């Protein structure tokens, strides 16, 4: 089964053997992670789709029209067409439609549509079940995933050991974090909380791992009890003497495959479960046990999002180190790019090497988006041998990348003009409008209680003035040597109740600030810095106010700025920002790269 068509046919045969009329295939794992281990890349194996968010629905009868569909959001509308064969899958855009709505419209009457309860959340199950029931259909939970039955060389889950995350990076001992959760349980009159999100487990226990590319987590589950103890369910081979010593006697360690049986022991107990982060199978196991399930937000999420002073200092150190690596790369690109010999893969690999040269890089924080010319217009483009393009002289190049360091997670986008010659007036106009939006958000001052959705338009306003926009959020939360996309905070349009947009922004939260513009088939522009929510003291203020500290320190492309479009305040921001870049990053680079940096950081 080397082709995706053969794999699709094999899945349909498997479904028919099981008496099923369809199956839903998400990008997910047992922890509802954004990035998943190789063993859980079922959607990519089946369809060829390489994005980080998407779902396929396959109906068992290939004669139906459509017989299968791929669901992606606005980030992947171009990518999905390049990677998934339109002969076999209809392309569907989320949130204008949904899997549940599609099933209600296209599943045969009375159909038995299957799903893996370890890969879907409770809300999704409720919506899909309702849509099918209206057509006399049934949503069926499978005991074993049918793709696993046909994926003969499916990788095993990682056996790498879990790693201790030192308190000098975490800023707070695991004992203190667990005590706070236990106190919360007692206050809520709850007996226990099930923690299944991998980054929450990593934060709570001050552990990390290498089980998932780009996110330093270890496959496991945790149950925290009101008496201050906890149970960690993790594969035996991942447990080291160092981990046991770190966790101490208050954390009992059990095999990962004993998790479901442990849930069966909560009869009559009040157990907190987060419906946004726990899969349906966890709810099912607790219901079968006779537990009283109390739906509550994972108690680790908000304290994890609000970085403590040690984590904030770590982020600043990581940003300086990362900024030096990125600056060395941009200098290299300024020399090699105009020669016409650099392609997208070579650029991404060279930047990766500059990050490795820092000596502290543990991994990239996501797959580098290295988009030359029209590929830059694909919002979450992922270069491959088939799509790899040269950076042509006289073109736009977009590079979105980041690193995982023990003291912080970085995420930065820079759009550059590959010389020689001057960029077209349209490109400069679009770039400068994106820049103005990025500055407007970075300099925002707002009252405590402000939500992400209330700030989003600040970054879009200058594009809106000329009838333009971008189809992605303006800002996402960022973890501390954890997920590069971390909730609950988010800056985006609030329409449709998008997750995180109604979360109050709190001091210590780190977000991205990344407006953009994309002209399909020609070029893409995005400028991204990370920003830290901080308290602001304002003379005469009537109430508490907040603002942002800009953390990312890398020069912004001067050659793409239309100076006439900038106000005096915006020029002042630019000059102050670049003076800060030179002050912090300058001592970390030398030779020709330092001369380049000094030139790029001159006042506008």
């Amino acid at each position: 089964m080397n082709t995706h068509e053969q794999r699709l046919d094999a899945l349909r045969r498997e479904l028919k053997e099981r008496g099923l009329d369809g199956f839903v295939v998400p990008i997910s794992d047992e922890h509802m992670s954004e990035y998943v281990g190789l063993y859980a890349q079922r959607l990519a194996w089946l369809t060829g789709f390489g994005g980080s968010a998407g779902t396929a629905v396959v109906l068992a009868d290939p004669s139906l029209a459509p017989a299968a569909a791929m669901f992606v959001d606005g980030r992947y509308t171009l990518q999905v067409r390049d990677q998934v064969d339109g002969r076999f899958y209809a392309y569907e855009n989320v949130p204008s439609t949904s899997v549940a709505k599609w099933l209600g419209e296209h599943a045969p009457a009375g159909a038995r549509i299957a799903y893996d309860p370890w890969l879907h959340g409770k809300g999704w199950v409720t919506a899909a079940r309702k849509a099918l029931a209206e057509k006399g259909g049934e949503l069926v939970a499978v005991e074993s995933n049918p793709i696993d039955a046909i994926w003969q060389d499916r990788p095993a889950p990682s056996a790498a050991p879990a790693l201790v995350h030192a308190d000098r990076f975490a800023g707070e001992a695991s004992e203190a974090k667990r005590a706070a959760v236990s106190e919360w349980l007692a206050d809520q009159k709850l007996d226990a909380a099930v923690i299944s999100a991998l980054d929450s487990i990593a934060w709570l226990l001050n552990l990390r791992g290498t089980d998932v590319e780009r996110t330093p987590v270890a496959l496991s589950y945790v149950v925290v009890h009101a008496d201050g103890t906890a149970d960690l369910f993790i594969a035996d081979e991942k447990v080291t003497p160092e981990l046991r010593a770190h966790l101490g006697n208050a954390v009992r360690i059990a095999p990962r495959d004993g998790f479901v049986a442990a849930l069966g022991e909560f009869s009559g107990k009040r157990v907190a479960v987060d419906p946004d982060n726990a899969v349906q199978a966890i709810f099912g196991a607790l219901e079968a046990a006779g537990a009283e399930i109390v739906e509550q937000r994972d108690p680790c999420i908000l304290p994890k999002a609000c970085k403590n002073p040690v984590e904030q200092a770590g982020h600043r150190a990581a940003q300086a180190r990362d900024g030096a690596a990125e600056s060395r790369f941009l200098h290299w690109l300024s020399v090699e790019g105009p020669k016409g010999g650099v392609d997208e893969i070579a650029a991404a690999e060279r930047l990766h090497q500059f990050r490795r040269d820092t000596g502290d890089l543990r991994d990239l924080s996501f797959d580098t988006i290295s988009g030359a010319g029209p590929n830059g217009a694909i919002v979450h483009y992922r270069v491959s041998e088939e799509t790899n393009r040269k950076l042509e002289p006289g073109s736009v190049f977009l590079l979105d990348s980041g690193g995982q360091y023990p003291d912080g997670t970085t995420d930065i986008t820079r759009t550059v003009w590959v010389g020689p010659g001057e960029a077209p007036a349209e490109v400069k106009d679009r770039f400068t409008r994106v820049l103005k939006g990025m500055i407007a958000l970075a300099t925002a001052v707002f009252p405590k209680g402000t939500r992400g959705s209330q700030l989003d338009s600040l970054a879009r306003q200058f594009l809106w003035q000329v009838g333009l926009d971008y189809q992605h959020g303006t800002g996402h939360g960022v973890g501390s040597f954890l997920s590069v996309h971390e909730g609950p905070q988010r800056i985006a349009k609030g329409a449709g109740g998008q997750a995180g947009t109604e979360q109050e922004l709190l001091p210590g939260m780190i977000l991205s600030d990344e407006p953009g513009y994309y002209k399909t088939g020609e070029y893409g522009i995005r400028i991204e810095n990370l920003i830290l929510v901080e308290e602001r003291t304002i003379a005469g203020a009537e109430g508490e106010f907040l603002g942002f500290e800009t953390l990312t320190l890398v020069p912004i492309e001067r050659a793409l700025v239309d100076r006439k479009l900038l106000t005096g305040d915006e020029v002042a921001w630019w000059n102050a920002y670049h003076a800060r870049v030179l002050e912090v990053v300058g001592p970390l680079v030398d030779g020709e790269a330092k001369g380049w940096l000094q030139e790029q950081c001159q006042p506008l």
Side-chain angles (χ1 to χ4, degrees):
M1 290 187 292
N2 293 323
T3 70
H4 295 113
E5 181 180 5
Q6 290 170 331
R7 295 170 183 178
L8 181 59
D9 291 342
L11 176 58
R12 287 190 164 122
R13 288 193 298 270
E14 180 70 19
L15 294 176
K16 289 176 181 177
E17 288 178 8
R18 298 189 185 198
L20 300 170
D21 299 301
F23 186 59
V24 182
V25 188
I27 298 174
S28 187
D29 63 7
E30 304 90 336
H31 310 274
M32 296 185 70
S33 308
E34 177 183 18
Y35 297 109
V36 302
L38 294 176
Y39 79 96
Q41 292 280 2
R42 297 178 179 92
L43 185 65
W45 179 84
L46 178 68
T47 68
F49 180 64
S52 64
T55 301
V57 176
V58 175
L59 300 179
D61 184 353
S63 68
L64 296 173
M70 271 292 306
F71 297 79
V72 297
D73 60 29
R75 297 171 294 173
Y76 296 111
T77 52
L78 299 179
Q79 180 176 334
V80 71
R81 286 163 171 77
D82 288 337
Q83 296 178 332
V84 178
D85 197 326
R87 294 178 298 164
F88 309 118
Y89 295 89
Y91 305 123
E92 299 289 344
N93 292 322
V94 176
S96 57
T97 189
S98 67
V99 172
K101 182 178 180 181
W102 190 92
L103 286 170
E105 294 172 349
H106 298 289
R112 301 180 73 243
I113 304 298
Y115 77 103
D116 186 337
W118 286 100
L119 303 180
H120 294 272
K122 180 184 178 184
W124 181 91
V125 171
T126 300
R129 183 174 287 148
K130 180 176 183 293
L132 285 168
E134 291 174 355
K135 295 188 66 173
E138 180 185 2
L139 187 67
V140 180
V142 295
E143 291 188 8
S144 64
N145 194 302
I147 289 182
D148 297 352
I150 62 174
W151 187 0
Q152 296 176 352
D153 58 349
R154 176 173 167 246
S158 167
L163 307 171
V164 174
H165 187 55
D167 289 357
R168 71 178 185 276
F169 297 127
E172 183 180 15
S174 174
E175 293 88 344
K177 296 177 180 180
R178 297 197 309 269
V181 174
S182 296
E183 183 178 345
W184 172 81
L185 288 169
D187 289 344
Q188 299 290 318
K189 295 181 171 53
L190 295 165
D191 295 294
V194 176
I195 311 295
S196 59
L198 295 178
D199 60 339
S200 287
I201 295 167
W203 177 86
L204 178 67
L205 299 183
N206 284 351
L207 63 81
R208 298 294 188 267
T210 59
D211 292 348
V212 178
E213 286 190 352
R214 313 315 188 205
T215 308
V217 292
L219 295 171
S220 54
Y221 299 96
V222 165
V223 177
V224 184
H225 302 273
D227 64 3
T229 65
D231 295 292
L232 170 65
F233 299 88
I234 187 168
D236 291 342
E237 62 269 23
K238 307 179 79 62
V239 180
T240 64
E242 292 80 9
L243 182 66
R244 289 186 185 277
H246 165 69
L247 294 175
N249 295 330
V251 178
R252 296 173 290 267
I253 300 176
R256 187 167 183 257
D257 57 14
F259 175 60
V260 173
L263 295 181
E265 298 175 2
F266 282 102
S267 176
K269 303 291 187 181
R270 285 170 50 84
V271 182
V273 186
D274 186 341
D276 293 329
N277 288 282
V279 294
Q280 172 65 25
I282 292 175
F283 285 91
L286 288 169
E287 288 167 0
E292 180 183 347
I293 300 174
V294 180
E295 295 187 4
Q296 290 271 15
R297 174 188 273 178
D298 175 343
C300 300
I301 284 181
L302 206 54
K304 172 167 56 69
C306 298
K307 310 300 183 285
N308 61 50
V310 170
E311 290 173 317
Q312 293 178 29
H315 264 276
R316 294 186 188 98
Q319 293 289 351
R321 189 184 313 119
D322 198 67
E326 181 99 9
S327 295
R328 291 189 192 98
F329 167 80
L330 290 173
H331 164 253
W332 172 84
L333 185 63
S334 72
V335 174
E336 298 298 327
K339 298 177 183 178
V342 178
D343 60 30
E344 294 169 340
I345 291 177
E349 289 178 346
R350 188 61 183 244
L351 176 55
H352 194 175
Q353 186 57 55
F354 279 120
R355 283 195 165 102
R356 287 193 200 98
D357 291 344
T358 66
D360 287 314
L361 185 72
R362 298 297 183 267
D363 194 358
L364 299 181
S365 57
F366 57 96
D367 290 331
T368 299
I369 299 171
S370 178
N375 286 345
I378 303 171
V379 176
H380 272 209
Y381 171 68
R382 183 176 177 181
V383 62
S384 66
E385 293 290 349
E386 293 74 28
T387 63
N388 190 25
R389 291 180 64 95
K390 287 281 184 69
L391 279 60
E392 298 176 3
S395 69
V396 176
F397 175 55
L398 185 153
L399 187 70
D400 188 348
S401 66
Q404 291 283 10
Y405 303 93
D407 47 0
T409 299
T410 68
D411 182 3
I412 173 177
T413 307
R414 288 295 181 263
T415 305
V416 301
W417 175 250
V418 182
E422 188 169 334
E426 178 192 282
V427 174
K428 284 188 169 185
D429 176 271
R430 305 306 190 247
F431 182 92
T432 308
R433 290 180 184 279
V434 170
L435 172 65
K436 287 166 70 71
M438 192 270 284
I439 294 172
L441 181 57
T443 57
V445 178
F446 47 93
K448 192 174 186 301
T450 297
R451 305 181 299 276
S453 61
Q454 294 175 292
L455 297 181
D456 182 73
S457 60
L458 294 176
R460 299 179 190 267
Q461 58 181 312
F462 305 103
L463 290 166
W464 285 353
Q465 288 172 356
V466 290
L468 305 174
D469 201 0
Y470 50 93
Q471 301 305 312
H472 60 75
T474 298
H476 57 81
V478 177
S480 183
F481 190 38
L482 274 177
S483 301
V484 73
H485 296 147
E486 178 182 87
Q489 69 274 26
R490 188 163 180 257
I491 298 173
K493 296 177 181 178
Q498 294 184 50
T501 56
E502 300 311 301
Q503 168 62 47
E504 174 187 350
L505 299 184
L506 298 170
M509 287 180 169
I510 294 175
L511 301 106
S512 64
D513 174 2
E514 52 178 312
Y517 170 74
Y518 311 91
K519 189 170 186 178
T520 301
E522 294 194 29
Y523 60 87
I525 293 167
R526 186 160 63 250
I527 309 171
E528 177 187 17
N529 284 343
L530 298 189
I531 51 179
L532 169 69
V533 182
E534 62 179 3
E535 296 178 349
R536 286 290 170 87
T537 301
I538 302 173
E542 298 179 354
E544 298 178 66
F545 278 75
L546 304 172
F548 295 115
E549 173 192 344
T550 295
L551 296 172
T552 305
L553 296 171
V554 174
I556 300 169
E557 177 64 278
R558 300 171 68 89
L560 289 175
V561 176
D562 184 344
R563 175 69 173 74
K564 299 187 300 296
L565 290 178
L566 296 180
T567 66
D569 286 344
E570 289 164 343
V571 171
W573 181 92
W574 172 286
N575 291 341
Y577 174 75
H578 285 87
R580 177 70 174 156
V581 171
L582 191 58
E583 175 190 357
V584 174
V585 177
L588 304 179
V589 298
D590 52 21
E592 294 181 0
K594 184 156 191 173
W596 174 89
L597 182 67
Q598 291 170 333
E599 182 179 322
Q600 295 300 309
C601 291
Q602 290 299 306
L604 202 65

